[in-house]
Amino acid sequence: MTDRRGPEECMSEKPFLFDRSGRRYPLAEPRWRGDDGSPLMMSELPGIRPEQIDRTERSHWRYRAALPQRFQREISLGEGATPLLTVGTSLGDLRVKAEWFNPTGSFKDRGMSILISTLAAHGIEEFLEDSSGNGGSSAAAYAAAAGMRANILVPRGTSAAKQQQSLLFGATVEEFDGTRTETAAEAERRAADIFYASHNWHPAFLQGVKLMSYEIWEDLGFVAPDNVVVPAGAGSNVLGLSLGFGELLRAGCIERMPRIFAAQPANCAPLVDAFDQGALGVDIARQDRWSPTIAEGASIGAPVRDREVLAAIRTCGGGMNAVAEDAIVDALRMLLTRGLYTEPTGALGFAAALHHLGTGLIDQGETTVVVLTGSGLKASQAMSQLLGAR
């Protein structure tokens, strides 16, 4: 059953999903995309205030009141509650959110906790996920915690450490002989035979990522930062942060939205390309211009939610930029001198923040948070090759 009323009409009603055509879908219906083939988004939620935080909970489930539904069974491994650290640079201080403190070593655990809790509520026992690494290992871990069977499809050349993590959690892992984009297309084809629990498609994933906004807000003494800088492949960090800070704004808990800045590797920057051209979405026909990048977590030539990501960046007054491979390596080296061992994809966002400080786009006196998405331990071979370790 669908309904064509727009999301703005229903703030006082029960939360629902909607696709790009405006059709509405109930949360109780297990689906990963709309009837029109477009990605699903959640209707606007009111947000929560400090007194609604469950201070007895030492995970991001302390913000469960901000979720669109309650779960009889919360699938959690203690995700969230990651530190917000201060990193000094010659251009000014940056605050970094060290997301490798999550259970499987990346921010993906936030979204996967809510996604797998949702699948469990729907009675789903087996699913398919496609990933370049972190999403797959996270899906495998939470599937194990929930007693589900996970099937992970990864592009050829995906980090062996990330694949091993998924295998050890009991998932079935298959390498697909194609790019990250081609692997996603293959997974969509297989969705006819198995439930497709893609973290890039399923709207519940974004509900977990958005809780990082609440955590940053609480970390800063219930104040929003001026800017947040994130690496972007499919853009779930952009959308999650946009959703969370948008809810806090509606709840009257912050005075304005932070500017969100997304960074992509210059070798694979379809969102930046579209942003610079003022386009509403990514030009899929230009996919063949992209090449491999050390920031494999951001190597997505055809992001599913391109329109939504671009709109979110523009609405908050943020920006996007493409970062060269050598600048990513330089950022990695700088972080290592501060004792921070992030993967190349995490350093991508840090490199972008340094660029924005250098050009004055971000002021030194502003509070800027950079999301370091995952651990360098997840890409140990690549790190050794890049940095000349012996």
Side-chain angles (χ1 to χ4, degrees):
M1 180 69 111
T2 60
D3 187 324
R4 290 182 178 276
R5 285 182 294 173
E8 69 283 350
E9 300 177 50
C10 304
M11 277 287 286
S12 62
E13 298 183 28
K14 287 184 177 181
F16 60 90
L17 302 173
F18 64 95
D19 62 23
R20 286 175 177 167
S21 71
R23 291 187 179 91
R24 294 173 57 197
Y25 307 88
L27 299 189
E29 182 181 345
R31 60 164 54 241
W32 56 275
R33 67 178 174 188
D35 289 342
D36 63 352
S38 71
L40 297 168
M41 293 293 287
M42 188 71 63
S43 57
E44 286 191 342
L45 300 173
I48 62 172
R49 301 188 63 79
E51 58 270 20
Q52 293 173 274
I53 297 172
D54 180 359
R55 297 175 189 274
T56 66
E57 178 67 60
R58 293 288 299 272
S59 77
H60 78 171
W61 285 92
R62 67 197 278 113
Y63 313 111
R64 62 170 60 85
L67 296 172
Q69 66 187 102
R70 301 294 180 266
F71 298 98
Q72 288 187 338
R73 186 182 177 203
E74 296 175 348
I75 311 301
S76 176
L77 295 171
E79 57 288 326
T82 61
L84 184 65
L85 308 171
T86 299
V87 174
T89 78
S90 61
L91 299 170
D93 288 350
L94 293 169
R95 307 296 295 274
V96 297
K97 192 70 167 156
E99 286 295 284
W100 58 80
F101 280 85
N102 280 297
T104 74
S106 86
F107 84 96
K108 297 286 176 64
D109 293 342
R110 294 180 180 273
M112 205 56 68
S113 176
I114 309 303
L115 172 51
I116 299 301
S117 295
T118 301
L119 299 189
H122 290 156
I124 292 170
E125 298 179 347
E126 183 175 10
F127 64 85
L128 171 68
E129 158 77 309
D130 62 284
S131 169
S132 60
N134 281 333
S137 55
S138 182
Y142 283 86
M148 295 179 187
R149 295 186 298 277
N151 299 274
I152 315 297
L153 193 66
V154 302
R156 184 77 59 189
T158 293
S159 164
K162 293 176 182 178
Q163 291 193 54
Q164 182 182 47
Q165 193 175 22
S166 297
L167 287 166
L168 291 175
F169 284 130
T172 298
V173 179
E174 179 185 345
E175 270 196 313
F176 181 72
D177 193 14
T179 65
R180 178 67 184 88
T181 300
E182 291 166 342
T183 302
E186 174 64 17
E188 290 176 36
R189 285 191 287 272
R190 298 186 188 189
D193 302 313
I194 185 172
F195 189 83
Y196 185 35
S198 166
H199 64 279
N200 290 328
W201 276 96
H202 203 290
F205 186 84
L206 295 178
Q207 291 299 306
V209 178
K210 84 173 184 185
L211 299 182
M212 195 194 311
S213 302
Y214 286 90
E215 199 167 288
I216 292 170
W217 167 64
E218 186 177 4
D219 287 342
L220 294 175
F222 301 108
V223 174
D226 297 296
N227 314 290
V228 185
V229 186
V230 296
S236 59
N237 266 314
V238 171
L239 291 175
L241 291 165
S242 177
L243 289 173
F245 284 119
E247 291 173 11
L248 287 167
L249 186 64
R250 284 193 291 278
C253 293
I254 59 176
E255 296 181 356
R256 54 175 174 69
M257 283 285 289
R259 293 187 298 170
I260 301 173
F261 293 90
Q264 293 200 288
N267 286 10
C268 187
L271 288 167
V272 176
D273 215 21
F275 183 82
D276 289 345
Q277 293 177 29
L280 296 178
V282 166
D283 184 355
I284 304 299
R286 292 168 61 87
Q287 281 187 65
D288 59 359
R289 66 175 293 198
W290 307 121
S291 56
T293 170
I294 58 174
E296 64 177 6
S299 182
I300 297 179
V304 169
R305 300 179 186 274
D306 55 341
R307 298 185 200 177
E308 291 77 11
V309 172
L310 291 165
I313 293 289
R314 288 167 175 148
T315 298
C316 71
M320 305 191 81
N321 72 307
V323 181
E325 300 288 287
D326 58 353
I328 299 173
V329 175
D330 289 344
L332 268 176
R333 292 185 184 281
M334 181 180 293
L335 288 166
L336 284 169
T337 66
R338 273 71 171 176
L340 298 171
Y341 195 59
T342 190
E343 63 182 354
T345 303
L348 168 63
F350 193 77
L354 293 174
H355 171 78
H356 296 326
L357 280 171
T359 61
L361 186 58
I362 289 177
D363 190 270
Q364 293 183 10
E366 295 178 328
T367 300
T368 298
V369 174
V370 183
V371 178
L372 302 183
T373 46
S375 170
L377 293 173
K378 307 284 290 284
S380 54
Q381 183 175 1
M383 295 285 281
S384 295
Q385 291 173 348
L386 287 171
L387 303 173
R390 294 181 181 272

